[in-house]
C-alpha cells in the first residue's frame, strides 16, 4: 500500500530564511509525487508535481522539490521564505492511471516569523 | 477555465439531520473525489466517482454517500449527522488518462454540526 510521511507537524522559520519540508513515501512502482499548499479555510493548491525525468522540479511561488529514489524522499524547498508562505503543506503520492487515488501526508504547518 | 466549485461554502446543521454538498468539477474532468479534513485526522478519502460510477471508496460508514451526474457534477450526502462530522469537506476533480492522479481541489464546504 502506498503511504506518505511528513515527519514535521510544525516548522517555524524567519522571513527571508530558507525552507525545507520533508516528505518520505512508500510506493511499489515509480511514484507520481505532488506538493500542495492550503491557506486557512481554503482548498488545496498544487505547488508542483513529479512524474518522470529531471528529479529537480520547479513549481509556483518559487518552490522546488527534489525526488530522491534511493531515499524515497521528495522534499520541498524554497531559498527565501515570505510571510505569505505561512500555510499548511501537503505531500502526496499516486500512481500512473486515473484509478489510483493519491495518498496524502498529514501535512506540515509552516509558521513564518517577521 | 473555471476551477472546481463547491457549494455551499458554509453549513450549520443539527445532530440527526442530513446534509447534501455539491461539487462541480473542472470542465472535461470525469473523476470527482471527496475528502474529509479535520485537525485530528488530516485529509481522509471518502470516495471517488468516475463516469457516474463509484470507482474507489474510503473507510467511512454508510451514512456517507455520493453520486455523480452525467455532466460530472457530484453530490455528497451525510445522513444522521453526528458532532464528529464537523469538518471541511473537499472535492477534487482529476483528468482522465495516465496523468489522472493530479487532483484539483475546490475551496471546500465547512460543515458544523451542533
Amino acid at each position: 500500500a502506498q503511504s506518505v510521511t511528513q515527519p514535521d507537524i510544525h516548522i517555524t522559520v524567519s522571513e527571508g530564511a530558507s525552507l525545507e519540508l520533508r516528505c518520505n513515501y512508500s510506493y511499489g512502482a515509480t511514484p507520481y509525487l505532488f506538493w500542495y499548499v492550503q491557506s486557512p479555510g481554503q482548498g488545496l493548491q498544487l505547488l508542483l508535481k513529479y512524474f518522470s525525468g529531471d528529479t529537480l522540479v520547479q513549481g509556483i511561488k518559487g518552490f522546488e522539490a527534489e525526488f530522491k529514489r534511493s531515499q524515497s524522499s521528495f522534499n520541498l524547498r524554497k531559498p527565501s521564505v515570505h510571510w505569505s508562505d505561512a500555510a499548511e503543506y501537503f505531500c502526496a503520492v499516486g500512481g500512473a492511471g486515473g484509478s489510483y487515488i493519491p495518498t496524502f501526508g498529514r501535512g506540515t504547518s509552516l509558521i513564518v516569523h517577521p | 477555465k473555471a476551477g472546481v466549485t463547491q457549494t455551499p461554502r458554509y453549513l450549520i446543521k443539527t445532530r440527526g439531520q442530513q446534509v447534501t454538498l455539491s461539487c462541480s468539477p473542472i470542465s472535461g474532468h470525469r473523476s470527482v473525489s471527496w475528502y474529509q479534513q479535520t485537525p485530528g485526522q488530516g485529509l481522509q478519502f471518502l470516495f471517488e466517482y468516475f463516469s457516474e460510477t463509484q470507482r474507489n471508496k474510503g473507510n467511512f460508514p454508510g451514512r456517507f454517500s455520493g453520486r455523480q451526474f452525467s455532466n460530472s457534477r457530484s453530490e455528497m450526502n451525510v445522513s444522521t449527522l453526528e458532532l464528529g462530522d464537523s469538518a471541511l469537506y473537499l472535492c477534487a476533480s482529476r483528468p482522465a488518462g495516465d496523468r489522472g492522479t493530479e487532483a484539483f481541489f475546490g475551496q471546500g464546504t465547512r460543515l458544523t454540526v451542533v
Side-chain angles (χ1 to χ4, degrees), chain A residues 1 9-10 15 18 38 40 51 55 57 66 73 103 106 112 114:
Chain A
I9 298 174
H10 303 283
E15 191 170 15
S18 63
Q38 184 182 33
F51 288 161
T55 57
V57 294
E66 186 171 12
S73 70
T103 296
R106 294 292 297 270
V112 180

Side-chain angles (χ1 to χ4, degrees), chain A residues 5-114:
Chain A
T5 301
Q6 293 180 247
D8 303 305
I9 298 174
H10 303 283
I11 290 276
T12 301
V13 299
S14 297
E15 191 170 15
S18 63
L19 171 70
E20 183 169 31
L21 301 182
R22 296 184 290 165
C23 172
N24 292 98
Y25 69 89
S26 173
Y27 192 74
T30 300
Y32 286 9
L33 294 159
F34 310 88
W35 274 100
Y36 288 85
V37 61
Q38 184 182 33
S39 298
Q42 302 295 316
L44 278 67
Q45 179 186 20
L46 182 68
L47 281 175
L48 48 78
K49 59 194 176 190
Y50 171 79
F51 288 161
S52 64
D54 193 348
T55 57
L56 183 64
V57 294
Q58 303 297 320
I60 61 172
K61 305 185 180 188
F63 286 92
E64 66 177 28
E66 186 171 12
F67 170 57
K68 293 186 177 179
R69 185 187 300 274
S70 62
Q71 298 177 19
S72 297
S73 70
F74 188 57
N75 294 348
L76 182 71
R77 302 194 294 247
K78 186 169 185 178
S80 177
V81 170
H82 187 262
W83 64 266
S84 60
D85 293 324
E88 190 88 13
Y89 291 81
F90 294 89
C91 180
V93 64
S99 63
Y100 290 90
I101 298 295
T103 296
F104 287 82
R106 294 292 297 270
T108 297
S109 178
L110 175 63
I111 300 164
V112 180
H113 282 169

Side-chain angles (χ1 to χ4, degrees), chain B residues 28-68:
Chain B
H29 288 191
R30 291 157 59 192
S31 163
V32 174
S33 298
W34 289 89
Y35 294 83
Q36 182 194 66
Q37 186 178 27
T38 59
Q41 299 297 320
L43 206 64
Q44 292 189 286
F45 171 71
L46 281 154
F47 33 65
E48 182 215 12
Y49 285 86
F50 182 83
S51 294
E52 301 180 65
T53 301
Q54 188 179 86
R55 184 165 67 172
N56 287 287
K57 188 177 187 304
N59 189 26
F60 275 80
R63 300 186 297 108
F64 293 82
S65 63
R67 60 177 175 169
Q68 187 179 34

Side-chain angles (χ1 to χ4, degrees), chain B residues 12-18 63 79-86 112-114:
Chain B
I12 299 176
K13 290 286 187 179
T14 304
R15 268 183 305 174
Q17 286 187 314
Q18 75 165 19
R63 300 186 297 108
S79 62
T80 319
L81 283 166
E82 301 176 359
L83 295 179
D85 296 333
S86 295
T112 302
V113 182
V114 297

